Amino acid sequence: MNLLITGAARGLGYELAKLAAARGHAVAACVRDAGRAGEGLAQLADRYPGLVRIEALDVADESQARALAAKLRDEGFVLDALVNNAGILLGRSGGIASLEMDDLKRTFEVNLYGPLIVAKHLTPLMRESMSGAELVVHVASDAGSFAGAYGGDYPYALSKIALSMFTKQLNEELKPRGIRALAVHPGWMRTDMGGQSAPLSPAESALGIIDLIEGTTEVPAETWFVDYTGRAMPV
């Protein structure tokens, strides 16, 4: 399979790229600055030549997404899976009275507009499938749901619930091409965003998500919001 993963420099994105390559999949590992991809990703590309390629992609920059799509198209890199993983978490302190609107705007630029931009330019490169085996994964959150709503984290939660809505819309549009879109809650992970007290490692979450991509874990056709194990999440 050919996968494209955004936010691949560290955390979940890196673990997804690492596991996918270990299973023999070709990976376009996207980072904001290809020259500063990080030692881990650079070593991964050296370990799996011909499978892991590091690509520059700031998801909030449409010109970069357009250029990357043209490059991959010219090289015949047809996608089987697209993972919109890049995301940020801003404006955590305080409540609504202390919310900085710049934090809200920037969060939407990355967490919502980014996946929209990437999907706009990269889903045309996806292979059509009669079996519905091709998959778009949007890394979502239980915080971005009505069932999981709580007071706080306004930029993050609002951007993620909007991302879930976009996922459902995209899923409906791509169905005729045999492509599914899933919003996937990765669990509370030990990352820069999740903190070190989280119960789950990024590698454990990545394992579940790769199983979803490969089809080892099956998701009912009517379901579009799941956790990393494939369990349906309440909206």
Side-chain angles (χ1 to χ4, degrees):
M1 298 176 70
N2 293 337
L3 282 66
L4 185 143
I5 302 168
T6 68
R10 61 184 187 276
L12 178 61
Y14 168 74
E15 294 296 340
L16 285 167
K18 179 180 177 181
L19 182 57
R23 292 191 177 185
H25 304 305
V27 180
C30 299
V31 296
R32 278 183 297 174
D33 184 349
R36 301 175 61 187
E39 184 177 352
L41 192 57
Q43 289 178 350
L44 196 64
D46 289 340
R47 189 185 315 159
Y48 297 102
L51 283 184
V52 177
R53 53 190 293 167
I54 300 174
E55 300 287 354
L57 177 61
D58 179 344
V59 298
D61 186 334
E62 187 171 7
S63 65
Q64 289 190 25
R66 184 183 296 110
L68 178 58
K71 177 183 178 181
L72 296 179
R73 185 181 296 108
D74 289 345
E75 296 176 6
F77 193 80
V78 180
L79 294 175
D80 297 288
L82 171 62
V83 183
N84 270 312
N85 165 71
I88 58 175
L89 176 61
L90 302 175
R92 301 210 73 183
S93 60
I96 189 65
S98 60
L99 176 64
E100 294 288 344
M101 297 309 295
D102 285 344
D103 286 342
L104 184 66
K105 293 174 183 177
R106 178 57 182 162
T107 301
F108 267 71
E109 285 177 356
V110 176
N111 292 3
L112 177 62
Y113 304 158
L116 278 160
I117 288 169
V118 172
K120 173 183 175 180
H121 292 283
L122 275 303
T123 55
L125 273 64
M126 294 189 71
R127 200 184 315 272
E128 296 194 3
S129 169
M130 295 301 293
S131 64
E134 314 313 300
L135 187 63
V136 177
V137 172
H138 289 159
V139 177
S141 173
D142 59 348
S145 68
F146 288 102
Y150 56 90
D153 285 337
Y154 291 102
Y156 182 77
L158 291 171
S159 69
K160 289 297 185 179
I161 198 167
L163 178 63
S164 292
M165 178 61 179
F166 169 53
T167 305
K168 182 67 166 74
Q169 289 180 296
L170 187 64
N171 185 59
E172 296 305 311
E173 179 181 342
L174 296 180
K175 275 182 181 179
R177 294 179 56 197
I179 302 170
R180 295 186 68 179
L182 289 180
V184 180
H185 170 51
W188 181 19
M189 299 176 293
R190 293 187 294 275
T191 62
D192 292 344
M193 189 179 294
Q196 292 308 301
S197 61
L200 192 67
S201 74
E204 291 172 299
S205 182
L207 178 61
I209 294 173
I210 290 293
D211 283 346
L212 287 169
I213 291 171
E214 291 181 336
T216 305
T217 300
E218 296 185 5
V219 177
E222 69 277 6
T223 302
W224 55 272
F225 186 20
V226 297
D227 71 5
Y228 68 99
T229 70
R231 179 179 62 89
M233 294 287 293
V235 179

